[in-house]
Amino acid sequence: MEKSVNWNSLVVANGGLGNGVSREKLQDVLRECGRVESLLMPPNKPYAFVTYGSAEDAQRCYTSLNGSQLHCQGQTVTLYLSFVEKVGSESEVCAELPPGLKVLEEFVSAEEETGLLDAIDWAPTSDAVTVQKALKHRRVKHYGYEFRYDNNNVDKDKPLPGGLPKICDALLERCLKENHIDIRPDQLTINQYEPGQGIPPHVDTHSAFEDTILSLSLGAKTVMDFRHPEGRSVAVVLPRRSLLVMQGESRYLWTHGITPRKFDVVPAGDSVSPQALTSDHSDLTLSKRDTRTSFTFRKVRRTACDCGRPPPPVPCAYSSACDSQRPLEEPSAPVLPQDDGDASRLETRFVHQVYEEIASHFSSTRHSPWPRVRAFLCSLPPGALLADVGCGNGKYLGLNSDLWAMGCDRSQSLVQICAERGFQAFVSDALNVPLRSGVCDACISIAVIHHFSTQERRLAAVNELVRLLKPGGRALIYVWALEQEYNKQRSKYLKEKDLGQEERTGTSVERENESVPDCSQGHAGKGDRCAQQNQPKLVVHTNRTAFNSQDLLVPWHLKGGATKAPETPTDNQPSESSPVFHRYYHVFCEGELEDLCRRVKDITIQTSYHDQGNWCVILEKTL
């Protein structure tokens, strides 16, 4: 029995940074039970590890705190403790900043900070010296040149009169003198972020600005997330009054953004810590955000981008992210992955990064539970433990208050939305959920598995759900269906399309029978409609139309206002200034989901059905 072991360490489940528990709050509770030697709290994880000075103290903690409730960040969490034989070392591995990136702490004094902030006039203005905008995620003011968010560029022939504010002169002279820049900037963007606001991941346009970009953080610190196209990510702490210098690879290739949230994970205490945080760090805590104002200085580019190479026509060194090079080349559509590495990169670009950028808008369209998902959740016994794998904004987590419900999602922004709504959620990939095997009474996976780009990864996602289940536990899976019309009924996705063209060209059933695609995975479905097909390139789907491919990119038109939408890819109509993002989907043909599940050991398929353009199954774990 766990109570008789002679170990000093415990895992504290549900007590981690990933579900809103701060180091200080958890330490206070743990220290009431004895002398705490170490407390490890990995970033973005819903658990922590505590080591006591003696086995007696650890036993006291296990006895008194197991099942206790902790109030933190406006929510109540229940702590679950279990003894562990060994805990990893607390020694830190110094994370590397992206190449070309520097963070210079205390670059301006407190007096200089006050002067710069006081010089900003946020009152509504119609003067032509500056351009001021109230964006959805922040307030913005432009000097020198207006940055156009509709085309991510500047009009180089229309400078704003007055140039940059004079109060910035001393700061820029210091940057020149200390060789942080070699040419004086002529464009300034001032962003003001309230707690909970951020900016989507992006690469500053190559053709718009020269190499070096400076960004001064005033008023409060924040964490900026940098991500390499191949998936490596680094969270960089930007202290108050620090200067961020982006050059070379960090400026031209890595995306950078600020996740919209009210708390950041930062080094604990007053000690100097590495500015780049990775999963190797353990001495971390939560820091409440305050109003932050950034001064970002750039030099407008007058020639095509060469990214530090000789003048064009020599190609850009980072052409994959370069808008200057794209007109010189035929745009190439992404192709179906050939191996797991290709699949991971495709999903990073066309699933993970997209949901980070659209998280707020996406969440505003996801609020109505589907009746048959509700029925499944309400059929579970009181006290059952539910895992929602790919929980999105958490709309199913609070549906049945009699359940112990927790969610996970690959998107940090969506998990943050869950936390703000009072739900238990943490960041995790659906292929590797950090929960013990056989702990869940039920799992749901709603509109998730169709985002995996190979059959092997889709199978792995189903296996992971089954791993989490207890014997007798059940899982509900929904995936988008190729057949958006089934049993002579059209899904809501097609119904909302104008029917005029349908009536003129014949029924959609007739056209479906003429153009149903073969299954790209070689599934032999009903009527042999799914046969092996060689379709290497991904096509961009036209919203509100029948599918002509199983593997495709579905547009999402990002809009500032929220509009009601069904639980299928975006039905919003584009506007000229709406950014468009493309998400990868594999739409399942009839019988394909059942065939996939039959390859999983120790399960039975209780039922399968078609529900509003989705194929659905309920599985039961037998062993």
Side-chain angles (χ1 to χ4, degrees), residues 91-108:
S91 60
E92 302 289 358
V93 177
C94 185
E96 293 184 0
L97 293 171
L101 190 71
K102 293 186 292 186
V103 179
L104 309 175
E105 298 189 41
E106 294 292 337
F107 193 77
V108 295

Side-chain angles (χ1 to χ4, degrees), residues 289-304:
R289 283 189 182 175
D290 203 343
T291 301
R292 172 180 173 267
T293 303
S294 67
F295 280 56
T296 301
F297 298 92
R298 308 175 179 94
K299 173 63 178 176
V300 172
R301 182 186 292 279
R302 297 294 174 179
T303 61

Side-chain angles (χ1 to χ4, degrees), residues 173-189:
E173 287 299 323
R174 191 186 319 162
C175 291
L176 285 166
K177 183 178 180 180
E178 297 178 5
N179 296 317
H180 303 308
I181 50 177
D182 55 14
I183 188 170
R184 191 182 181 90
D186 55 7
Q187 197 274 338
L188 167 64
T189 297

